[in-house]
Amino acid sequence: MSTSYGASKEILQCITTAVIPRRELCVKDSNVSMLNSSRLSQKFLVSSGVCTKFHCRSRKTTIVLSMSCSSRDEKAEDNADRLTYKDAGVDIDAGSDLVRRIAKMAPGIGGFGGLYPLAGDSYLVAGTDGVGTKLKLAFETGIHETIGIDLVAMSVNDIVTSGAKPLFFLDYFATSHLDVDLAEKVIKGIVDGCQQSDCTLLGGETAEMPDFYAHGEYDISGFAVGIVKKDSVIDGKNITVGDILIGLPSSGVHSNGFSLVRRVLNRSGLSLKDQLPGGLVTLGEALMVPTVIYVKQVLDLVSKGGIKGIAHITGGGFTDNIPRVFPRGLGAAIYKDSWVVPPVFNWIQEAGRIDDAEMRRTFNMGIGMVLVVDKEAATRILEDGQGTNSMYCLGEVVSGEGVSYH
């Protein structure tokens, strides 16, 4: 049994020693977990002096040392204390497996939006989504006016990744007992979201189902349809090594990962009315900030050319969503310190003692949309983005599949 820690090159002697974990450990894939910053000062005593392996990885030095039974027990206890999305009840791998099974029955699915060819020169592009357990926080905080914006955002942000302009939106609102005033607040948010994305709220369904939901609770889902010219579809097929990844900032957690957020909140002992550690607002306010609707910004950038692929960073984070737009054999190299991570994510990670790899596969980490562009377009976009619309150069496309962090 062995375990791996990042270490400096000076640690070469095969003797009993103390190893201080370092954040410089380069994560090559989602299966390698980085140590939480709160553990940086803790030393791990290695009781066995046998050095079993020494190698370099992406210019970072890693040393593998044999561990005693007591060290293994401590490590197991340490890992058991770390929260994961699966611990909170959401299994991303199971969801991915279901999509693969559905794809066998309905070939062609798997993109951010579904394309339907029209008789002329255009595709209809459709998407559907909900807002997950962010609704639980809406019930607790009483903030219902913006959850409809989240609902619209989740669908229109998906279909705009194809370069499609949203045309119309449909909603579904379900509850056990219809509270007209509350439902009006939710629908108002949907109308606001449609205005932000320049589409029409065409219709919807209100379902009153006694005994199905808890008193005062409801569920919502939405459906967006857009249109794009067949010769203008953004599908990632022309992405090549050396293309640049540009990130558009998120407003916070958006509408994914809230099952884990709620588990962290429960563990932290804080309430939604408490101030966000490191922030200027309450936890409730920080978590309920509505999802950014990127439609107008993205379509404006698309009209200027050079964009080869677009990824909406939702459930699955960078790890699962960015590769969805790449051709086979290509991956992403992300520069870890190239953007500002909002304080809410720092609190989530520290309070939940969540590994870096788990954070990157669960949350958007401050980036809600990633554009894959050629170098010439990247220069132009980043220069234009120095004004009100902040953008970040996140990394580049590399040979080899997956997402690595440097």
Side-chain angles (χ1 to χ4, degrees), residues 63-106:
I63 189 167
V64 180
L65 303 169
S66 297
M67 300 296 289
S68 67
C69 292
S70 60
S71 297
R72 291 198 301 268
D73 292 341
E74 290 174 4
K75 184 173 184 291
E77 182 179 350
D78 181 68
N79 287 335
D81 196 36
R82 297 178 182 274
L83 286 178
T84 67
Y85 208 7
K86 193 172 184 177
D87 293 336
V90 179
D91 189 338
I92 296 177
D93 292 325
S96 299
D97 182 49
L98 178 60
V99 171
R100 286 191 291 269
R101 295 188 187 191
I102 295 173
K104 295 178 181 178
M105 298 180 281

Side-chain angles (χ1 to χ4, degrees), residues 155-208:
S155 289
V156 297
N157 285 344
D158 271 351
I159 67 173
V160 80
T161 62
S162 299
K165 180 195 180 301
L167 295 175
F168 58 86
F169 186 84
L170 301 168
D171 73 272
Y172 175 82
F173 179 96
T175 186
S176 286
H177 174 73
L178 183 60
D179 181 331
V180 175
D181 291 336
L182 185 150
E184 182 183 23
K185 292 178 181 179
V186 175
I187 302 302
K188 182 182 183 302
I190 294 174
V191 171
D192 289 346
C194 288
Q195 291 173 345
Q196 290 183 36
S197 54
D198 196 23
C199 71
T200 300
L201 177 58
L202 197 62
E205 167 71 5
T206 301
E208 190 169 24

Side-chain angles (χ1 to χ4, degrees), residues 38-58:
S38 64
R39 307 292 291 177
L40 289 181
S41 61
Q42 179 174 346
K43 294 185 178 182
F44 291 79
L45 181 62
V46 183
S47 58
S48 172
V50 181
C51 178
T52 60
K53 190 174 182 181
F54 182 84
H55 61 89
C56 293
R57 178 180 294 169
S58 296

Side-chain angles (χ1 to χ4, degrees), residues 124-140:
L124 288 180
V125 184
T128 181
D129 212 333
V131 297
T133 57
K134 188 172 186 175
L135 283 172
K136 287 287 190 181
L137 270 66
F139 305 150
E140 293 182 43

Side-chain angles (χ1 to χ4, degrees), residues 3-6 21-36 57 75 78-79 82-84 349 353-360:
T3 187
S4 175
Y5 300 102
R22 295 176 59 185
R23 290 194 67 87
E24 285 82 351
L25 175 61
C26 181
V27 178
K28 296 299 290 182
D29 56 52
S30 60
N31 294 321
V32 183
S33 299
M34 295 181 67
L35 296 169
N36 189 283
R57 178 180 294 169
K75 184 173 184 291
D78 181 68
N79 287 335
R82 297 178 182 274
L83 286 178
T84 67
Q349 182 166 21
R353 301 193 65 250
I354 303 171
D355 288 333
D356 282 1
E358 188 73 15
M359 290 291 294
R360 292 166 179 157

Side-chain angles (χ1 to χ4, degrees), residues 54-363:
F54 182 84
H55 61 89
C56 293
R57 178 180 294 169
S58 296
R59 300 193 301 275
K60 304 297 181 183
T61 304
T62 302
I63 189 167
V64 180
L65 303 169
S66 297
M67 300 296 289
S68 67
C69 292
S70 60
S71 297
R72 291 198 301 268
D73 292 341
E74 290 174 4
K75 184 173 184 291
E77 182 179 350
D78 181 68
N79 287 335
D81 196 36
R82 297 178 182 274
L83 286 178
T84 67
Y85 208 7
K86 193 172 184 177
D87 293 336
V90 179
D91 189 338
I92 296 177
D93 292 325
S96 299
D97 182 49
L98 178 60
V99 171
R100 286 191 291 269
R101 295 188 187 191
I102 295 173
K104 295 178 181 178
M105 298 180 281
I109 73 164
F112 289 100
L115 277 67
Y116 183 83
L118 296 178
D121 61 353
S122 299
Y123 286 109
L124 288 180
V125 184
T128 181
D129 212 333
V131 297
T133 57
K134 188 172 186 175
L135 283 172
K136 287 287 190 181
L137 270 66
F139 305 150
E140 293 182 43
T141 61
I143 300 174
H144 302 281
E145 295 82 357
T146 57
I147 202 73
I149 298 176
D150 289 301
L151 183 66
V152 175
M154 295 304 292
S155 289
V156 297
N157 285 344
D158 271 351
I159 67 173
V160 80
T161 62
S162 299
K165 180 195 180 301
L167 295 175
F168 58 86
F169 186 84
L170 301 168
D171 73 272
Y172 175 82
F173 179 96
T175 186
S176 286
H177 174 73
L178 183 60
D179 181 331
V180 175
D181 291 336
L182 185 150
E184 182 183 23
K185 292 178 181 179
V186 175
I187 302 302
K188 182 182 183 302
I190 294 174
V191 171
D192 289 346
C194 288
Q195 291 173 345
Q196 290 183 36
S197 54
D198 196 23
C199 71
T200 300
L201 177 58
L202 197 62
E205 167 71 5
T206 301
E208 190 169 24
M209 301 183 290
D211 305 322
F212 200 82
Y213 298 95
H215 178 72
E217 296 189 357
Y218 57 86
D219 196 11
I220 52 176
S221 57
F223 315 85
V225 175
I227 192 166
V228 62
K229 297 288 186 182
K230 291 179 179 178
D231 59 2
S232 300
V233 173
I234 297 174
D235 55 17
K237 291 181 179 179
N238 296 324
I239 293 174
T240 59
V241 171
D243 284 338
I244 305 300
L245 306 179
I246 293 178
L248 307 184
S250 70
S251 57
V253 184
H254 281 183
S255 302
N256 293 98
F258 276 90
S259 295
L260 182 52
V261 167
R262 291 185 300 109
R263 184 67 64 89
V264 170
L265 183 65
N266 183 61
R267 170 183 283 193
S268 73
L270 298 177
S271 76
L272 292 170
K273 295 181 180 179
D274 289 321
Q275 184 170 347
L276 169 67
L280 301 175
V281 297
T282 66
L283 278 167
E285 291 168 336
L287 293 170
M288 287 302 295
V289 171
T291 305
V292 175
I293 292 178
Y294 296 98
V295 170
K296 293 180 180 179
Q297 182 183 8
V298 168
L299 291 180
D300 178 62
L301 293 170
V302 168
S303 69
K304 298 175 182 177
I307 296 181
K308 299 181 177 183
I310 306 175
H312 184 200
I313 309 304
T314 55
F318 281 12
T319 304
D320 287 357
N321 285 298
I322 295 178
R324 292 172 67 180
V325 303
F326 288 161
R328 289 183 180 275
L330 298 182
I334 303 294
Y335 311 140
K336 290 185 293 185
D337 299 323
S338 59
W339 76 95
V340 178
V341 177
V344 66
F345 294 109
N346 297 326
W347 170 75
I348 290 170
Q349 182 166 21
E350 292 172 8
R353 301 193 65 250
I354 303 171
D355 288 333
D356 282 1
E358 188 73 15
M359 290 291 294
R360 292 166 179 157
R361 201 187 179 200
T362 305
F363 302 107

